[in-house]
Amino acid sequence: MPRPGRNTYSDQKPPYSYISLTAMAIQSCPEKMLPLSEIYKFIMDRFPYYRENTQRWQNSLRHNLSFNDCFIKIPRRPDQPGKGSFWALHPSCGDMFENGSFLRRRKRFKVMISGQLAAGKPLDAAHYLQQQAKLRLSALANTGTHLPQMSNYSLGMSQPSTFKHPFAIENIISREFKMPGGLPFPPMQPVSAGYSLHNQLATAWPHMYSTNAIDTVAHISTTSNDYSAFGVPVKSLCHDGQTLPAIPVPIKATPAPLSNLSAIPAHIPAFAPNCSQSLSLTSHQTLSMAQTLSSSLCPRGR
DNA sequence: ACCTGTTTAATCCAAA
DNA sequence: TTTGGATTAAACAGGT
Protein backbone atom coordinates (compact mmCIF):
# COMPACT_ATOMS: atom_id res chain seq x y z
CA MET A 1 0.00 0.00 0.00
CA PRO A 2 1.28 3.43 -0.78
CA ARG A 3 1.83 5.60 2.22
CA PRO A 4 0.88 9.20 2.33
CA GLY A 5 3.97 11.17 1.68
CA ARG A 6 4.60 14.57 0.31
CA ASN A 7 1.81 14.00 -2.09
CA THR A 8 -1.51 13.25 -0.62
CA TYR A 9 -2.68 9.71 -1.03
CA SER A 10 -5.40 10.92 -3.27
CA ASP A 11 -2.83 11.92 -5.82
CA GLN A 12 -1.48 8.43 -6.01
CA LYS A 13 -2.83 5.58 -7.94
CA PRO A 14 -5.39 3.66 -5.94
CA PRO A 15 -4.45 0.05 -5.28
CA TYR A 16 -7.41 -1.24 -7.21
CA SER A 17 -7.48 -2.80 -10.61
CA TYR A 18 -9.79 -1.46 -13.24
CA ILE A 19 -11.91 -4.52 -12.75
CA SER A 20 -12.22 -3.69 -9.08
CA LEU A 21 -13.02 -0.07 -9.74
CA THR A 22 -15.62 -1.00 -12.28
CA ALA A 23 -17.16 -3.55 -9.97
CA MET A 24 -17.32 -0.94 -7.23
CA ALA A 25 -19.09 1.46 -9.50
CA ILE A 26 -21.61 -1.08 -10.63
CA GLN A 27 -22.21 -2.30 -7.12
CA SER A 28 -22.69 1.19 -5.83
CA CYS A 29 -25.87 1.88 -7.68
CA PRO A 30 -29.19 0.34 -6.73
CA GLU A 31 -29.81 -1.03 -10.18
CA LYS A 32 -26.46 -2.83 -10.19
CA MET A 33 -25.86 -1.67 -13.70
CA LEU A 34 -24.32 1.48 -15.07
CA PRO A 35 -23.60 3.03 -18.40
CA LEU A 36 -19.99 3.59 -19.21
CA SER A 37 -20.17 7.30 -18.59
CA GLU A 38 -21.47 6.73 -15.07
CA ILE A 39 -18.68 4.28 -14.37
CA TYR A 40 -16.21 6.95 -15.41
CA LYS A 41 -17.95 9.43 -13.22
CA PHE A 42 -17.96 7.16 -10.20
CA ILE A 43 -14.24 6.56 -10.48
CA MET A 44 -13.37 10.18 -11.00
CA ASP A 45 -15.59 11.30 -8.17
CA ARG A 46 -13.89 9.00 -5.71
CA PHE A 47 -10.37 8.75 -6.96
CA PRO A 48 -8.78 12.06 -7.86
CA TYR A 49 -5.94 10.18 -9.46
CA TYR A 50 -8.25 9.33 -12.29
CA ARG A 51 -9.19 12.89 -13.01
CA GLU A 52 -6.09 13.08 -15.14
CA ASN A 53 -4.99 11.13 -18.15
CA THR A 54 -8.58 10.21 -18.74
CA GLN A 55 -7.97 8.96 -22.23
CA ARG A 56 -5.48 6.42 -21.02
CA TRP A 57 -7.34 4.84 -18.18
CA GLN A 58 -10.73 5.06 -19.82
CA ASN A 59 -9.42 3.12 -22.76
CA SER A 60 -8.05 0.54 -20.36
CA LEU A 61 -11.32 0.40 -18.55
CA ARG A 62 -13.25 -0.15 -21.75
CA HIS A 63 -10.80 -2.85 -22.66
CA ASN A 64 -11.49 -4.54 -19.36
CA LEU A 65 -15.22 -4.35 -19.82
CA SER A 66 -15.00 -6.07 -23.14
CA PHE A 67 -12.24 -8.46 -22.32
CA ASN A 68 -13.44 -9.82 -19.01
CA ASP A 69 -16.37 -12.13 -18.91
CA CYS A 70 -17.23 -10.89 -15.47
CA PHE A 71 -18.87 -7.88 -17.07
CA ILE A 72 -21.98 -8.20 -19.11
CA LYS A 73 -23.46 -5.68 -21.42
CA ILE A 74 -27.14 -4.93 -21.12
CA PRO A 75 -28.67 -3.08 -24.03
CA ARG A 76 -30.86 -0.11 -23.42
CA ARG A 77 -34.52 -0.46 -23.95
CA PRO A 78 -36.02 1.53 -26.78
CA ASP A 79 -37.70 3.83 -24.30
CA GLN A 80 -34.36 4.61 -22.74
CA PRO A 81 -32.45 6.57 -25.30
CA GLY A 82 -28.87 7.33 -24.66
CA LYS A 83 -25.40 6.41 -25.60
CA GLY A 84 -24.02 3.00 -24.98
CA SER A 85 -25.31 0.06 -23.06
CA PHE A 86 -25.50 -0.62 -19.37
CA TRP A 87 -22.83 -2.72 -17.79
CA ALA A 88 -23.43 -5.17 -15.01
CA LEU A 89 -21.54 -7.88 -13.22
CA HIS A 90 -21.95 -11.40 -14.44
CA PRO A 91 -24.23 -13.29 -12.08
CA SER A 92 -21.62 -15.95 -11.53
CA CYS A 93 -18.60 -13.83 -10.94
CA GLY A 94 -19.07 -13.54 -7.22
CA ASP A 95 -15.92 -15.32 -6.24
CA MET A 96 -13.38 -13.24 -8.05
CA PHE A 97 -11.81 -11.37 -5.22
CA GLU A 98 -9.91 -12.91 -2.39
CA ASN A 99 -11.37 -12.56 1.04
CA GLY A 100 -13.90 -10.06 -0.15
CA SER A 101 -11.20 -7.57 -0.92
CA PHE A 102 -11.07 -5.51 -4.03
CA LEU A 103 -7.33 -5.39 -3.80
CA ARG A 104 -6.75 -8.65 -5.47
CA ARG A 105 -8.65 -11.00 -7.65
CA ARG A 106 -8.80 -14.63 -6.79
CA LYS A 107 -8.63 -15.69 -10.36
CA ARG A 108 -9.84 -14.50 -13.66
CA PHE A 109 -13.49 -15.09 -14.14
CA LYS A 110 -14.29 -16.95 -17.30
CA VAL A 111 -17.59 -18.24 -18.45
CA MET A 112 -17.10 -21.94 -18.74
CA ILE A 113 -18.03 -24.53 -21.21
CA SER A 114 -17.50 -28.00 -19.95
CA GLY A 115 -17.24 -31.52 -21.16
CA GLN A 116 -17.55 -32.02 -24.85
CA LEU A 117 -16.95 -28.41 -25.62
CA ALA A 118 -13.67 -28.39 -23.86
CA ALA A 119 -12.74 -31.49 -25.73
CA GLY A 120 -13.40 -29.75 -28.97
CA LYS A 121 -16.28 -31.99 -29.95
CA PRO A 122 -19.17 -30.67 -31.95
CA LEU A 123 -21.55 -28.65 -29.88
CA ASP A 124 -25.20 -29.22 -29.55
CA ALA A 125 -25.90 -25.73 -28.39
CA ALA A 126 -29.43 -26.29 -27.29
CA HIS A 127 -28.42 -29.26 -25.25
CA TYR A 128 -25.54 -27.38 -23.80
CA LEU A 129 -27.66 -24.48 -22.66
CA GLN A 130 -30.11 -26.78 -21.03
CA GLN A 131 -27.33 -28.61 -19.32
CA GLN A 132 -25.86 -25.40 -18.05
CA ALA A 133 -29.15 -24.38 -16.57
CA LYS A 134 -29.40 -27.68 -14.80
CA LEU A 135 -25.81 -27.53 -13.66
CA ARG A 136 -26.29 -24.13 -12.15
CA LEU A 137 -29.29 -25.16 -10.22
CA SER A 138 -27.75 -28.34 -8.97
CA ALA A 139 -24.59 -26.55 -8.04
CA LEU A 140 -26.72 -24.10 -6.19
CA ALA A 141 -28.48 -26.80 -4.31
CA ASN A 142 -25.28 -28.62 -3.47
CA THR A 143 -22.90 -25.89 -2.58
CA GLY A 144 -24.89 -22.88 -1.65
CA THR A 145 -22.37 -20.72 -3.35
CA HIS A 146 -23.39 -17.32 -4.25
CA LEU A 147 -24.48 -14.70 -6.65
CA PRO A 148 -22.93 -11.31 -6.41
CA GLN A 149 -25.97 -9.21 -6.22
CA MET A 150 -29.66 -9.25 -6.58
CA SER A 151 -31.87 -6.26 -6.78
CA ASN A 152 -33.32 -4.49 -3.78
CA TYR A 153 -30.27 -5.17 -1.77
CA SER A 154 -28.58 -2.43 0.12
CA LEU A 155 -24.87 -2.51 0.49
CA GLY A 156 -23.66 -3.49 3.87
CA MET A 157 -26.95 -2.94 5.53
CA SER A 158 -28.72 -6.19 5.52
CA GLN A 159 -27.02 -8.91 7.47
CA PRO A 160 -24.79 -9.01 10.46
CA SER A 161 -21.26 -10.09 9.85
CA THR A 162 -18.18 -10.59 11.88
CA PHE A 163 -15.58 -9.57 9.38
CA LYS A 164 -15.44 -6.60 7.13
CA HIS A 165 -12.42 -6.44 4.98
CA PRO A 166 -11.08 -2.90 4.95
CA PHE A 167 -11.10 -2.93 1.20
CA ALA A 168 -14.43 -4.58 0.81
CA ILE A 169 -16.85 -2.59 -1.20
CA GLU A 170 -19.12 -1.91 1.68
CA ASN A 171 -16.27 -0.12 3.36
CA ILE A 172 -14.98 1.48 0.24
CA ILE A 173 -18.13 3.06 -0.93
CA SER A 174 -19.76 3.73 2.37
CA ARG A 175 -20.07 7.25 3.63
CA GLU A 176 -17.78 6.48 6.51
CA PHE A 177 -14.94 5.11 4.49
CA LYS A 178 -11.84 7.20 4.41
CA MET A 179 -8.88 6.70 2.20
CA PRO A 180 -5.75 5.77 4.08
CA GLY A 181 -4.45 9.26 3.57
CA GLY A 182 -7.47 10.69 5.25
CA LEU A 183 -9.41 11.62 2.19
CA PRO A 184 -13.00 10.72 2.73
CA PHE A 185 -15.05 9.61 -0.15
CA PRO A 186 -17.77 11.94 -1.09
CA PRO A 187 -21.19 10.71 -0.13
CA MET A 188 -22.69 8.28 -2.50
CA GLN A 189 -24.66 9.96 -5.15
CA PRO A 190 -27.73 8.43 -6.59
CA VAL A 191 -27.09 7.32 -10.10
CA SER A 192 -29.82 7.52 -12.60
CA ALA A 193 -29.02 4.34 -14.32
CA GLY A 194 -32.33 3.33 -15.64
CA TYR A 195 -34.22 0.19 -15.19
CA SER A 196 -33.59 -2.63 -12.85
CA LEU A 197 -30.93 -5.16 -13.62
CA HIS A 198 -32.95 -7.84 -12.02
CA ASN A 199 -35.88 -7.17 -14.27
CA GLN A 200 -33.65 -7.45 -17.26
CA LEU A 201 -31.90 -10.52 -16.11
CA ALA A 202 -35.04 -12.19 -14.98
CA THR A 203 -36.14 -12.30 -18.54
CA ALA A 204 -32.76 -12.72 -20.10
CA TRP A 205 -31.55 -15.33 -17.64
CA PRO A 206 -34.69 -17.19 -16.71
CA HIS A 207 -32.73 -20.06 -15.22
CA MET A 208 -30.82 -17.73 -12.96
CA TYR A 209 -33.23 -15.00 -12.08
CA SER A 210 -36.72 -16.23 -12.54
CA THR A 211 -39.11 -16.18 -9.66
CA ASN A 212 -39.50 -19.89 -10.01
CA ALA A 213 -35.84 -20.60 -9.87
CA ILE A 214 -35.41 -18.43 -6.86
CA ASP A 215 -38.32 -19.95 -5.12
CA THR A 216 -36.79 -23.31 -5.68
CA VAL A 217 -33.75 -22.38 -3.72
CA ALA A 218 -35.20 -19.86 -1.39
CA HIS A 219 -34.42 -21.81 1.71
CA ILE A 220 -31.12 -23.31 0.87
CA SER A 221 -28.66 -22.22 3.45
CA THR A 222 -25.26 -20.91 2.62
CA THR A 223 -22.59 -23.13 3.98
CA SER A 224 -19.45 -22.16 2.17
CA ASN A 225 -17.99 -18.70 1.84
CA ASP A 226 -19.64 -16.07 3.89
CA TYR A 227 -18.45 -13.26 1.73
CA SER A 228 -18.97 -12.37 -1.81
CA ALA A 229 -16.37 -10.90 -4.04
CA PHE A 230 -17.28 -7.50 -2.79
CA GLY A 231 -16.83 -8.02 0.87
CA VAL A 232 -20.52 -8.18 1.41
CA PRO A 233 -21.81 -11.09 3.36
CA VAL A 234 -23.15 -13.53 0.88
CA LYS A 235 -26.29 -13.98 2.84
CA SER A 236 -27.04 -10.37 2.39
CA LEU A 237 -26.95 -10.60 -1.33
CA CYS A 238 -30.11 -12.52 -1.77
CA HIS A 239 -33.43 -12.32 -0.17
CA ASP A 240 -34.09 -14.86 2.51
CA GLY A 241 -30.60 -16.11 2.16
CA GLN A 242 -31.10 -17.73 -1.18
CA THR A 243 -28.07 -17.94 -3.32
CA LEU A 244 -27.08 -18.92 -6.76
CA PRO A 245 -23.98 -20.73 -7.77
CA ALA A 246 -20.85 -18.98 -8.72
CA ILE A 247 -18.84 -21.06 -11.09
CA PRO A 248 -15.57 -19.33 -11.56
CA VAL A 249 -13.18 -21.51 -13.40
CA PRO A 250 -9.48 -21.51 -13.90
CA ILE A 251 -8.71 -19.89 -17.16
CA LYS A 252 -6.83 -22.96 -18.27
CA ALA A 253 -9.98 -24.98 -18.30
CA THR A 254 -11.66 -22.53 -20.57
CA PRO A 255 -12.04 -23.54 -24.19
CA ALA A 256 -11.94 -20.88 -26.78
CA PRO A 257 -14.63 -19.45 -28.97
CA LEU A 258 -17.92 -20.62 -27.58
CA SER A 259 -16.93 -19.94 -24.04
CA ASN A 260 -19.23 -17.00 -23.91
CA LEU A 261 -22.33 -19.00 -24.43
CA SER A 262 -23.47 -18.76 -20.89
CA ALA A 263 -23.12 -15.04 -20.95
CA ILE A 264 -25.29 -14.79 -23.95
CA PRO A 265 -28.70 -13.81 -22.84
CA ALA A 266 -27.61 -10.40 -21.79
CA HIS A 267 -26.60 -9.78 -25.33
CA ILE A 268 -29.81 -10.87 -26.92
CA PRO A 269 -32.67 -8.98 -25.44
CA ALA A 270 -34.78 -9.92 -28.39
CA PHE A 271 -35.34 -13.38 -27.15
CA ALA A 272 -36.08 -12.39 -23.63
CA PRO A 273 -39.77 -11.60 -23.88
CA ASN A 274 -40.41 -15.09 -25.13
CA CYS A 275 -38.44 -16.80 -22.49
CA SER A 276 -40.07 -19.21 -20.18
CA GLN A 277 -39.81 -18.30 -16.55
CA SER A 278 -38.99 -21.84 -15.65
CA LEU A 279 -35.58 -23.32 -15.36
CA SER A 280 -35.89 -25.59 -18.33
CA LEU A 281 -35.87 -23.84 -21.61
CA THR A 282 -37.62 -25.49 -24.44
CA SER A 283 -35.53 -26.96 -27.18
CA HIS A 284 -36.78 -24.27 -29.47
CA GLN A 285 -35.82 -21.53 -27.08
CA THR A 286 -32.41 -22.87 -26.35
CA LEU A 287 -31.69 -23.62 -29.94
CA SER A 288 -32.63 -20.21 -31.23
CA MET A 289 -30.80 -18.67 -28.35
CA ALA A 290 -27.70 -20.64 -29.08
CA GLN A 291 -27.86 -19.90 -32.76
CA THR A 292 -28.16 -16.22 -32.15
CA LEU A 293 -25.38 -16.43 -29.69
CA SER A 294 -22.89 -18.42 -31.54
CA SER A 295 -23.24 -16.10 -34.47
CA SER A 296 -22.91 -13.00 -32.38
CA LEU A 297 -20.27 -14.19 -29.99
CA CYS A 298 -18.02 -16.43 -31.96
CA PRO A 299 -16.24 -13.65 -33.80
CA ARG A 300 -14.86 -12.64 -30.48
CA GLY A 301 -12.72 -15.70 -30.64
CA ARG A 302 -11.09 -15.78 -27.26
C1' DA B 1 -16.59 14.57 -34.32
C1' DC B 2 -16.98 12.14 -30.52
C1' DC B 3 -18.28 8.21 -27.83
C1' DT B 4 -18.72 3.37 -27.20
C1' DG B 5 -17.25 -1.21 -27.78
C1' DT B 6 -14.12 -4.92 -29.58
C1' DT B 7 -9.88 -6.83 -30.49
C1' DT B 8 -4.89 -7.54 -30.76
C1' DA B 9 -0.47 -7.01 -29.05
C1' DA B 10 3.22 -5.81 -25.99
C1' DT B 11 4.88 -5.25 -21.53
C1' DC B 12 5.26 -5.56 -16.54
C1' DC B 13 4.93 -7.92 -12.39
C1' DA B 14 3.58 -11.20 -8.84
C1' DA B 15 2.43 -15.84 -7.78
C1' DA B 16 3.13 -20.59 -8.53
C1' DT C 1 11.50 -19.94 -14.73
C1' DT C 2 6.95 -20.14 -16.11
C1' DT C 3 2.38 -18.70 -15.99
C1' DG C 4 -1.22 -15.70 -15.76
C1' DG C 5 -3.37 -11.22 -14.37
C1' DA C 6 -3.16 -6.33 -15.12
C1' DT C 7 -2.05 -2.37 -17.74
C1' DT C 8 -1.34 0.27 -21.77
C1' DA C 9 -1.55 1.39 -26.56
C1' DA C 10 -3.63 1.26 -30.74
C1' DA C 11 -6.61 0.18 -34.63
C1' DC C 12 -11.03 -0.28 -36.05
C1' DA C 13 -16.20 -0.39 -36.48
C1' DG C 14 -20.52 1.34 -35.41
C1' DG C 15 -23.67 4.53 -33.20
C1' DT C 16 -25.22 9.19 -31.72
Side-chain angles (χ1 to χ4, degrees), chain A residues 173-185:
Chain A
I173 68 178
S174 69
R175 292 171 189 274
E176 292 77 15
F177 182 82
K178 287 182 167 58
M179 292 292 282
L183 174 75
F185 281 135

Side-chain angles (χ1 to χ4, degrees), chain A residues 42-101:
Chain A
F42 175 94
I43 293 172
M44 286 191 288
D45 279 352
R46 284 159 184 76
F47 302 98
Y49 173 87
Y50 290 108
R51 290 170 193 166
E52 296 174 354
N53 300 315
T54 54
Q55 206 165 12
R56 182 194 299 173
W57 69 263
Q58 288 179 356
N59 184 25
S60 296
L61 191 142
R62 288 195 305 275
H63 161 82
N64 274 277
L65 282 171
S66 290
F67 183 77
N68 291 287
D69 290 344
C70 58
F71 298 114
I72 56 178
K73 198 173 68 176
I74 300 172
R76 288 176 187 267
R77 289 185 312 197
D79 59 321
Q80 287 203 313
K83 265 194 171 180
S85 307
F86 290 97
W87 289 94
L89 287 163
H90 190 288
S92 300
C93 74
D95 214 17
M96 279 196 309
F97 299 96
E98 282 187 357
N99 204 19
S101 168

Side-chain angles (χ1 to χ4, degrees), chain A residues 140-145 217-224 235 240-243:
Chain A
L140 165 66
N142 291 335
T143 70
T145 45
V217 297
H219 302 295
I220 296 174
S221 63
T222 53
T223 55
S224 54
K235 294 181 183 71
D240 303 324
Q242 75 266 32
T243 61

